[in-house]
Amino acid sequence: MAFNKIWYTLALGLLLPFSYAHTDFFTSIGHMTDLINTEKDLVVSLKDYIKAEESKLEQIKKWAEKLDQLTDTATKDPEGFLGHPVNAFKLMKRLNTEWGELESLVLKDMSDGFISNMTIQRQFFPNDEDQTGAAKALLRLQDTYNLDTDTLSRGNLPGVKHKSFLTAEDCFELGKIAYTEADYYHTELWMEQALKQLDEGEVSSADKVYILDYLSYAVYQQGDLSKAMMLTRRLLELDPEHQRANGNMKYFEYIMAKEKDANKSSTDSEDQLEKETEVKKKDYLPERRKYEMLCRGEGLKMTPRRQKRLFCRYYDGNRNPRYILGPVKQEDEWDKPRIVRFLDIISDEEIETVKELAKPRLSRATVHDPETGKLTTAHYRVSKSAWLSGYESPVVSRINTRIQDLTGLDVSTAEELQVANYGVGGQYEPHFDFARANEPDAFKELGTGNRIATWLFYMSDVSAGGATVFPEVGASVWPKKGTAVFWYNLFPSGEGDYSTRHAACPVLVGNKWVSNKWLHERGQEFRRPCTLSELE
Ligand code: OGA
Ligand code: FE2
């Protein structure tokens, strides 16, 4: 342990300049695959260490056996034994040199290779923040996709390839993370799950007393006093001397008695207050509710009548010479706002190239802080992204031209191609792509006006979750590799179309790659002339 510490301090001193490379693993699967390889390397060097230690022990064992026989014979008849001059000589030699050599062998440290490998790799390890982030992602998924704790713990998720389950210890850990976030709802769920798995006989180092301690507190925090008392009683059965539990029990009894009194004389104004907070809560919920429902594939607001007017067609980019002989497949996804999907619009090879170009540059996506106007990271946008310019690769340039040909819009005023990767739990909560009237400075430095339209390529399928949803209108668009969707964010008048508010649902299983192009107003004057009214 102490040895490790010394190495660690040394490593920190030596290697600190490199450690800035560490950034939010859990947001992107790309960086997590590196960790898997790191772990594989470590296992290899751990096995080498075990082998070295085993062969050392083997040598020692042989020596011990040889000496065991020898000393046996020698002690039975010491004088006869030493009467042989060779035996006398060998006894001198053994004691003078061979035992010393054996001592060195016993003291020899075989762990050098493994420890130095650990030291090198450790700088790339996730930290506490990553662990908490990954745990919070799990809790977020649980809410969005209405997953019950037991299902999640047993790993019964749709579309998973490698089933994996949580131990009671893992559940306890998740509960503790929720607890430190003052999220007592999830604390209760996960502590209860840990307890359940222990009650079912799972062998674990997790301790029921600790679990009950957290659980009763979480239950108490959520106002269920009698359940909190029941749990504390259970704790005291296991550990009658538990100081906090004994204290809590007295406190609960006191509160219980006080509440009974208060109930008798509760006033109308309190009721009023309660109702008001309830209304406030409900006011906040709708968009979040709609968003989460759409993510689960519920609450689509399409009528059969409107559905009938959605078509698919071959599209030649309005007689664009590049597409007349080979038009592309186009599908209406939604009518209002109009969202169209292009099929087979980016090839697997192009996708691989774009991903390879982006990978080394992926960093945590940022958003504009409305107060400071600066770019920051935010919990509502969890993904990694990178920007690719048309100058750096013929593939990117070809993709830009394709977008120009098929939208009829000038891409020279557009932003560079943004590539985004969402890991498990990665999401982008409801937002507008355009800048609202009250944020005139948002795209000022670009000097190309507002974001008139969005083009979004899906560069992977997603095993579960990860839809793009439009909560205002009840639309969801599911990722499908090789396709792209397109919509206008602004009316021809230049007004923002609020019905385009959209979100990227959290990825439940698998990972999601997209790339998007935000087209701007400048350059479109003759391509999409403006009008005076937003209705035209
Ligand atoms: C965006 C966005 C949607 C998605 O990056 O602005 O809305 O499905 N993405 O990734
Ligand atoms: Fe967006």
Side-chain angles (χ1 to χ4, degrees), residues 287-288 291 380 427-432 469 471 501-504:
E287 177 167 71
R288 168 131 223 117
Y291 162 49
Y380 58 82
Q427 62 164 357
Y428 192 179
E429 287 186 15
H431 64 278
F432 300 108
V469 301
R501 191 170 172 82
H502 60 281

Side-chain angles (χ1 to χ4, degrees), residues 8 30 43 150 172 194-195 250 316 358 406 485:
Y8 195 17
V43 174
D150 199 59
F172 179 51
L195 202 59
K250 286 208 187 83
D316 64 5
L406 293 171
V485 287

Side-chain angles (χ1 to χ4, degrees), residues 213-265:
D213 197 10
Y214 278 100
L215 183 55
S216 62
Y217 184 75
V219 166
Y220 156 72
Q221 278 291 340
Q222 294 177 94
D224 192 343
L225 212 54
S226 51
K227 188 172 171 191
M229 282 174 90
M230 186 268 284
L231 290 163
T232 310
R233 225 170 275 133
R234 209 180 140 188
L235 192 165
L236 287 170
E237 273 164 29
L238 295 172
D239 181 2
E241 305 300 315
H242 196 285
Q243 287 191 355
R244 188 174 33 247
N246 277 307
N248 286 348
M249 204 58 190
K250 286 208 187 83
Y251 176 64
F252 291 156
E253 279 158 4
Y254 162 78
I255 303 240
M256 201 76 143
K258 208 169 105 185
E259 262 183 13
K260 261 189 203 136
D261 273 358
N263 273 349
K264 272 183 226 146
S265 57

Side-chain angles (χ1 to χ4, degrees), residues 47 49-59 110:
K47 279 185 155 170
Y49 160 69
I50 293 172
K51 239 186 241 150
E53 201 75 81
E54 272 171 354
S55 94
K56 167 179 150 181
L57 211 53
E58 205 49 49
Q59 269 176 278
M110 311 305 281

Side-chain angles (χ1 to χ4, degrees), residues 89-149:
F89 164 69
K90 287 186 108 175
L91 179 64
M92 296 305 114
K93 179 168 172 261
R94 270 203 308 279
L95 288 170
N96 187 42
T97 48
E98 291 179 10
W99 275 104
E101 280 165 10
L102 181 79
E103 185 188 24
S104 311
L105 181 64
V106 169
L107 284 174
K108 190 169 171 197
D109 185 3
M110 311 305 281
S111 67
D112 270 11
F114 171 67
I115 295 295
S116 58
N117 214 341
M118 264 306 270
T119 311
I120 293 166
Q121 302 286 10
R122 189 179 266 127
Q123 58 179 322
F124 305 117
F125 276 13
N127 56 22
D128 284 354
E129 212 179 295
D130 292 305
Q131 191 177 332
T132 317
K136 285 201 263 179
L138 210 60
L139 303 181
R140 189 160 60 228
L141 289 173
Q142 178 174 26
D143 288 346
T144 307
Y145 295 105
N146 267 347
L147 301 170
D148 95 279
T149 315

Side-chain angles (χ1 to χ4, degrees), residues 381 418 422 428 431 433 456 468 502 504 512 514 516 518:
R381 186 175 190 192
Q418 179 181 245
Y422 301 81
Y428 192 179
H431 64 278
D433 282 352
L456 177 71
T468 310
H502 60 281
K512 175 180 171 186
V514 296
N516 52 334
W518 283 304

Side-chain angles (χ1 to χ4, degrees), residues 132 136 139 176-184:
T132 317
K136 285 201 263 179
L139 303 181
K176 271 199 295 195
I177 285 171
Y179 171 83
T180 49
E181 298 286 309
D183 171 359
Y184 301 116

